[in-house]
Amino acid sequence: MAEASRIIYTTLVPCFRPTIQRTHLGHPHLSMPRKHQIHCSVSANASGTTQASVVDTIPWGCEIESLENASALQKWLSESGLPPQKMGIERVDVGERGLVALKNIRKGEKLLFVPPSLVITSDSEWSSPEAGEVLKRNSVPDWPLLATYLISEASLMESSRWNNYISALPRQPYSLLYWSQAELDRYLEASQIRERAIERINNVIGTYDDLRLRIFSKYPDLFPEEVFNIESFKWSFGILFSRLVRLPSMDGKVALVPWADMLNHSCDVETFLDYDKTSKGIVFMTDRSYQPGEQVFISYGKKSNGELLLSYGFVPKEGNNPSDSVELSLSLKKSDGSYKEKLELLKKYGLSASQCFPVQITGLPLELMAYAYLAVSPSSMGEKFEEMAAAASNKITSKKDLRYPEIEEQALQFILDSCESSISKYNKFIQASGSLDLDVTSPKQLNRRLFLKQLAVDLCTSERRILFRAQYILRRKLRDMRAGELRALKIFNGFRNLFQ
């Protein structure tokens, strides 16, 4: 089943510090049911690396996301103030469980109307007021605060007013947080999203460790370790990553919106959740019409397939996502005589000696080209180094078409070499994986290994497709450039022979 929540953010979860600032932006989730609930924890060892272990699942949430527990949620919401809806929960082709139109829905119509009293925010009342006061007194940011709030309410089971909502949440959120280190290494070796997943896991671990050391250990009666541990925090952060939304009309407040997170994602729609001051509820405005029986979709944001897998645990069909991209890694050569000088300038603009750039099917970004120029530029162009580094970081906007004709061929070849190196890694993985054509929209029929393997094959196939296109463009540009140089050389030789 897929449930909606999109989150747009540029950094991962911050490790807790009382003064930390968040840079997360949000909107509506797609989670996918699995028959085999294997809960893998990833913990940091003394060397700072991660390792996996298999543990029992947490005691709350639903193991199999059925219509029954979703219907119980709908009944509770209706009794708690949710007005009659034009949508109902039904089994669907995409995500197993979703919201389907019960009546004709017009384009531009506002749907949902979830009242603020049924929305979870940092201002929500705690069933354990003392715990909430401790966190707020210590200025815990919204993300860790909401993660702790979810665990606190979930552990109270039926004593919490949110029990019906939490009971309908997946016991194991379907993001890369739940892939073990071995699974990440095995299935995502070719994709840069593997590094993003490891970084996210370590951020969650770091956030939990900070809370444990600064707060939980000082108030063990309020935050017992058997409840507030790394496994429960992986669960709560998995829920937040996949369901938390930011509501622009409520001063950017982040929130969990029950019922709205039953909506599935479609790459063909752009509608998102917001607070409507007129109806005083959380709504979204449709950007297409729906007939009775049709599934109603929402956008999780303009995300690549890798980002959708990272947070939501699914990969759209190849070619269906116009926002898809692949991260291409470029690196300075340590043999470069100007290596130290270039590296210092890159660091000045927040970049490193090895940098990833998103490449889309439509072409290469200016930042990638600028980095390539810097990487291949000779020491004689030293006065241009800073301009190149700034352009690679997108810190300058004056030059829309940054070009250095004297080194353009070398820069294009440099990018092509990196592109073809990445393609070879994708080819190796896909060939080793064999032929798979499994329906990952109905993963209850698959075992875990096949499910993860199919997701990885789908992701790698879509990312390789973009690299193939980039390879074609680069080869064509280089061919045309070299053909032009050859023609110019022939003309020059012709004139030289004429005057001999």
Side-chain angles (χ1 to χ4, degrees):
M1 135 158 199
E3 293 158 355
S5 266
R6 65 175 182 147
I7 301 180
I8 307 172
Y9 40 78
T10 56
T11 62
L12 298 176
V13 178
C15 293
F16 166 64
R17 296 287 189 278
T19 58
I20 199 156
Q21 299 295 315
R22 291 175 298 103
T23 57
H24 299 273
L25 306 177
H27 290 78
H29 160 97
L30 191 153
S31 69
M32 308 186 75
R34 298 179 193 156
K35 183 176 181 179
H36 302 270
Q37 296 289 327
I38 302 177
H39 191 152
C40 296
S41 67
V42 183
S43 56
N45 59 26
S47 64
T49 58
T50 55
Q51 54 190 10
S53 61
V54 179
V55 300
D56 294 333
T57 56
I58 56 175
W60 52 75
C62 59
E63 184 170 348
I64 298 177
E65 298 170 48
S66 65
L67 290 181
E68 289 71 27
N69 53 42
S71 297
L73 170 64
Q74 183 177 5
K75 182 176 182 294
W76 171 74
L77 289 170
S78 298
E79 293 172 348
S80 302
L82 183 73
Q85 302 285 308
K86 283 191 172 183
M87 300 176 294
I89 302 172
E90 293 186 15
R91 296 198 182 280
V92 292
D93 293 334
V94 177
E96 194 91 8
R97 186 176 70 171
L99 295 186
V100 171
L102 301 177
K103 302 178 181 179
N104 287 319
I105 296 175
R106 303 184 308 275
K107 180 180 179 180
E109 190 169 348
K110 290 181 180 179
L111 299 176
L112 286 179
F113 304 102
V114 180
S117 61
L118 293 176
V119 176
I120 296 176
T121 71
S122 58
D123 298 324
S124 293
E125 183 179 351
W126 289 60
S127 297
S128 174
E130 298 87 354
E133 281 301 314
V134 167
L135 294 185
K136 292 177 182 180
R137 194 163 60 241
N138 283 272
S139 302
V140 177
D142 285 356
W143 272 69
L145 181 89
L146 286 170
T148 310
Y149 179 84
L150 265 184
I151 297 168
S152 178
E153 297 298 317
S155 67
L156 295 174
M157 301 293 189
E158 295 181 2
S159 299
S160 169
R161 72 170 294 232
W162 300 107
N163 179 57
N164 290 90
Y165 174 56
I166 292 170
S167 295
L169 294 175
R171 188 167 294 175
Q172 180 175 315
Y174 307 108
S175 72
L176 293 185
L177 279 178
Y178 279 82
W179 289 38
S180 69
Q181 181 73 55
E183 289 165 344
L184 291 171
D185 292 343
R186 179 178 181 182
Y187 296 121
L188 295 179
E189 179 183 5
S191 176
Q192 290 294 332
I193 208 67
R194 171 185 171 276
E195 299 302 320
R196 296 268 301 277
I198 293 172
E199 182 182 6
R200 176 171 293 186
I201 291 168
N202 288 333
N203 270 282
V204 170
I205 293 170
T207 301
Y208 165 72
D209 284 344
D210 272 329
L211 288 171
R212 178 175 55 83
L213 293 172
R214 297 170 184 267
I215 299 177
F216 297 166
S217 62
K218 296 178 182 179
Y219 302 92
D221 293 339
L222 295 177
F223 305 102
E225 189 173 359
E226 59 267 24
V227 174
F228 298 88
N229 51 55
I230 187 57
E231 293 306 323
S232 60
F233 267 83
K234 282 180 59 186
W235 171 80
S236 62
F237 272 111
I239 296 297
L240 296 185
F241 276 124
S242 59
R243 284 171 161 78
L244 199 66
V245 303
R246 185 176 292 277
L247 304 169
S249 298
M250 291 185 74
D251 299 321
K253 185 182 290 292
V254 290
L256 290 169
V257 187
W259 181 250
D261 58 12
M262 291 288 172
L263 287 160
N264 290 332
H265 169 79
S266 171
C267 298
D268 298 326
V269 302
E270 296 184 357
T271 187
F272 58 90
L273 296 182
D274 199 3
Y275 177 70
D276 182 58
K277 295 180 181 179
T278 303
S279 62
K280 301 188 185 307
I282 310 300
V283 305
F284 74 95
M285 184 179 293
T286 59
D287 56 7
R288 52 154 290 188
S289 60
Y290 293 93
Q291 300 295 319
E294 283 190 285
Q295 185 176 184
V296 180
F297 292 101
I298 199 167
S299 171
Y300 301 171
K302 295 182 178 180
K303 300 178 183 293
S304 69
N305 287 358
E307 291 170 320
L308 291 171
L309 175 60
L310 182 63
S311 289
Y312 309 109
F314 76 100
V315 177
K317 293 295 184 183
E318 182 183 0
N320 283 1
N321 183 5
S323 299
D324 196 14
S325 64
V326 59
E327 291 187 346
L328 184 63
S329 178
L330 299 182
S331 300
L332 294 181
K333 294 180 179 179
K334 290 188 176 181
S335 59
D336 188 340
S338 302
Y339 176 83
K340 289 185 178 179
E341 182 182 357
K342 292 176 180 179
L343 179 57
E344 286 303 314
L345 287 170
L346 288 173
K347 287 182 178 179
K348 177 181 177 180
Y349 290 98
L351 302 178
S352 64
S354 183
Q355 196 69 38
C356 290
F357 296 90
V359 176
Q360 291 189 299
I361 200 76
T362 51
L364 306 176
L366 171 66
E367 293 81 6
L368 179 144
M369 197 66 204
Y371 192 101
Y373 279 134
L374 179 64
V376 303
S377 56
S379 57
S380 59
M381 294 183 69
E383 74 281 358
K384 300 289 186 181
F385 286 175
E386 182 156 6
E387 180 181 64
M388 296 173 185
S393 68
N394 199 22
K395 294 290 174 61
I396 62 171
T397 57
S398 56
K399 289 197 173 185
K400 299 294 184 182
D401 186 22
L402 193 73
R403 291 193 67 189
Y404 302 94
E406 63 271 39
I407 57 171
E408 185 167 6
E409 181 179 339
Q410 297 98 301
L412 291 174
Q413 185 63 55
F414 179 74
I415 298 172
L416 178 60
D417 291 343
S418 178
C419 182
E420 292 182 335
S421 175
S422 292
I423 289 174
S424 67
K425 292 179 182 178
Y426 284 102
N427 287 341
K428 181 180 179 181
F429 169 74
I430 293 173
Q431 290 169 4
S433 298
S435 177
L436 281 177
D437 187 19
L438 305 174
D439 182 7
V440 295
T441 62
S442 298
K444 285 194 297 184
Q445 305 305 316
L446 307 177
N447 64 40
R448 178 183 174 84
R449 183 184 62 80
L450 287 178
F451 178 74
L452 299 189
K453 188 175 181 181
Q454 181 66 63
L455 285 174
V457 168
D458 289 347
L459 176 66
C460 289
T461 300
S462 68
E463 291 186 338
R464 185 181 64 167
R465 169 177 172 264
I466 298 172
L467 289 175
F468 275 149
R469 175 63 179 170
Q471 179 190 49
Y472 168 77
I473 292 173
L474 289 164
R475 284 179 173 177
R476 187 181 63 184
K477 284 184 177 181
L478 285 167
R479 180 197 63 198
D480 293 346
M481 187 177 293
R482 288 162 181 166
E485 291 172 352
L486 182 60
R487 286 195 298 270
L489 180 61
K490 287 181 178 179
I491 292 172
F492 173 77
N493 288 334
F495 277 111
R496 186 176 62 178
N497 292 334
L498 182 65
F499 290 101
Q500 282 181 348

